[in-house]
Amino acid sequence: MLRRLAHLIWGAEVDRALRPVLAVTLIGSLAGSSAWSFMGIWAIEDLGATSAQLSFGYLVGAIVAGLVGHAGGHLSDHVGRRGLILAGEGLLAITLPLFLLAGSDVLLGLGLMVGAGALGSFGGSAGQAMVADLVPPERHEVAYASVRVAANLGVTMGPPAGSLFLVAGGWHAFFPGVGLLAVAAWWLAFRLLPRGGAYAPTSPPQRGSLGVIVRDRPYLLFMAASVFSWLVYVAYETVLPVSLVESHGLPTWGWGVLVVINPLLVTLFQLRLTRSLAHVSMVPKWVAGVLLMGLPFLLLGVTSAIPVIVLVLVLFVLGEMLWVPTSSAIVAGLAPDDLRGAYMGAFAGTAATGFALAPFLGLQVRDASGDAAMWSAFAVAAVVSAAVGATVCRRAESRAAPPPPSALLEG
């Protein structure tokens, strides 16, 4: 049964070397989603934090997670991917039960939230770099799409799992239960993940990653484009439900029903879409992906009828399915082999920036000028990201492309 389900979702073309990463990603995502789906509720209802304190905690957590993600990626270039992934999952498993010690100490509770978010990102960049270590460059995009499907499955199953822990014994069962899921992810990583890969660097880097990144103008340009695209992506997760419920009269339970569209479509169609467009250049996929995420928001300024909302969600997830694997493939194409982890870690910082700024800037514009102005701002961000990213996509493809046969003969 499980084999048939896996074949339905991933098909038969997943690289054998990648399968351990998929298993670890699935269970790790399940643990993380179980925790973070209810973390805000815990902070307000049990810890006693105010909304302002919680938003500040999220902001600090996003910044720290970005910094730790880069540090983890950098270290993975020197000590190996597997060790960093094991360290991140292991420390997270230890940290989660400690939330029960916070009581009503808001500072301690929010500090644990920041720490848990940082630990969750510690091995994330190493995991992304490991994908490129295991599969050839021409398979990067499909490989990252496969990993994304595994992560999405974990995100889909996480909230129900967290709910079961809460029903079983409240917060005193929730945090140890989620901690056990993190232990399971650590155990799978320990048993399954390889120490290297067929396409991994043969030796640690002999140069500092920061100096190389700072001098890599195409990569810095890609980072800038990614910040704008992450602003659009995070707007879907954080700002859109607020807008639909408060400005357009959608009941809260209605958003809970509609939001299922995203994980369902990703699970069923992400790999199929990526494989069918494998022959297409990165440039149109990046441009179309970002624009499909950002421009449909403008429809909400015309009408908020349910069919239009559903259309916006479908177009967004279509763009997301184009943009996410293409982004990871671009990083892998731009990164020098010996600094792959550091480049992945720096890219993770753009996601942290998006999570930190999108709700803050979006809601500020909304309060000052209304929903239409807010969605116009995110549409502009999508256009900027598409324009800037298109140039970088070409450079990434040229770096990743193998040299022509004549060049090999001359060498």
Side-chain angles (χ1 to χ4, degrees):
M1 179 66 181
L2 290 177
R3 181 173 295 179
R4 289 182 179 179
L5 181 60
H7 187 273
L8 173 66
I9 295 172
W10 283 285
E13 299 181 20
V14 175
D15 295 81
R16 183 175 295 275
L18 194 62
R19 292 175 186 175
V21 177
L22 299 182
V24 174
T25 299
L26 172 61
I27 303 304
S29 178
L30 170 62
S33 177
S34 300
W36 289 105
S37 295
F38 298 93
M39 200 66 77
I41 298 173
W42 167 80
I44 291 177
E45 292 187 354
D46 195 70
L47 184 64
T50 66
S51 296
Q53 289 171 328
L54 178 60
S55 63
F56 182 75
Y58 279 137
L59 176 63
V60 174
I63 295 171
V64 173
L67 295 174
V68 171
H70 172 66
H74 172 82
L75 285 174
S76 76
D77 289 328
H78 294 267
V79 302
R81 322 289 187 206
R82 183 175 181 272
L84 267 294
I85 296 171
L86 288 172
E89 293 291 351
L91 291 172
L92 181 62
I94 295 171
T95 301
L96 285 167
L98 298 180
F99 278 77
L100 296 175
L101 303 178
S104 58
D105 190 331
V106 174
L107 185 61
L108 175 59
L110 294 180
L112 286 169
M113 284 182 59
V114 172
L119 292 173
S121 67
F122 189 57
S125 302
Q128 289 289 297
M130 179 177 279
V131 173
D133 291 346
L134 296 173
V135 300
E138 64 272 14
R139 296 280 296 171
H140 281 173
E141 195 171 348
V142 172
Y144 284 114
S146 301
V147 172
R148 181 167 187 259
V149 171
N152 192 78
L153 280 175
V155 170
T156 303
M157 296 186 295
S163 297
L164 288 177
F165 293 134
L166 287 172
V167 170
W171 298 113
H172 284 82
F174 174 80
F175 286 110
V178 176
L180 287 176
L181 291 177
V183 170
W186 181 93
W187 182 82
L188 279 176
F190 180 77
R191 290 294 304 273
L192 300 179
L193 290 184
R195 297 184 181 277
Y199 304 91
T202 56
S203 61
Q206 304 299 315
R207 51 182 176 166
S209 62
L210 183 59
V212 176
I213 289 175
V214 169
R215 293 189 296 271
D216 192 339
R217 292 186 179 180
Y219 182 70
L220 295 180
L221 196 62
F222 169 73
M223 296 265 286
S226 296
V227 168
F228 283 100
S229 55
W230 275 107
L231 287 174
V232 177
Y233 180 84
V234 177
Y236 168 87
E237 294 193 357
T238 60
V239 180
L240 181 60
V242 174
S243 173
L244 292 178
V245 172
E246 293 192 359
S247 298
H248 299 286
L250 184 73
T252 304
W253 62 265
W255 172 250
V257 173
L258 292 175
V259 76
V260 176
I261 293 173
N262 187 291
L264 181 63
L265 292 180
V266 170
T267 300
L268 294 177
F269 298 111
Q270 173 70 81
L271 268 173
R272 290 168 173 81
L273 179 66
T274 302
R275 285 170 177 156
S276 66
L277 297 177
H279 63 285
V280 178
S281 167
M282 289 182 182
V283 178
K285 286 187 283 193
W286 171 279
V287 173
V290 175
L291 293 181
L292 282 171
M293 288 196 299
L295 297 186
F297 288 142
L298 296 174
L299 294 175
L300 299 175
V302 179
T303 176
S304 57
I306 295 298
V308 173
I309 295 175
V310 172
L311 176 62
V312 171
L313 298 182
V314 171
L315 291 175
F316 180 92
V317 74
L318 178 59
E320 177 189 347
M321 288 190 291
L322 292 170
W323 169 69
V324 173
T326 302
S327 297
S328 298
I330 290 171
V331 181
L334 289 172
D337 290 346
D338 61 331
L339 300 177
R340 189 175 289 149
Y343 270 62
M344 288 293 182
F347 174 61
T350 65
T353 303
F355 276 97
L357 293 181
F360 176 76
L361 296 177
L363 294 177
Q364 291 287 330
V365 174
R366 179 174 180 266
D367 289 342
S369 305
D371 281 52
M374 176 184 70
W375 294 127
S376 295
F378 283 118
V380 170
V383 172
V384 172
S385 177
V388 176
T391 302
V392 186
C393 290
R394 294 188 182 92
R395 186 68 63 91
E397 288 181 322
S398 66
R399 282 195 190 181
S406 59
L408 294 176
L409 291 174
E410 292 172 4

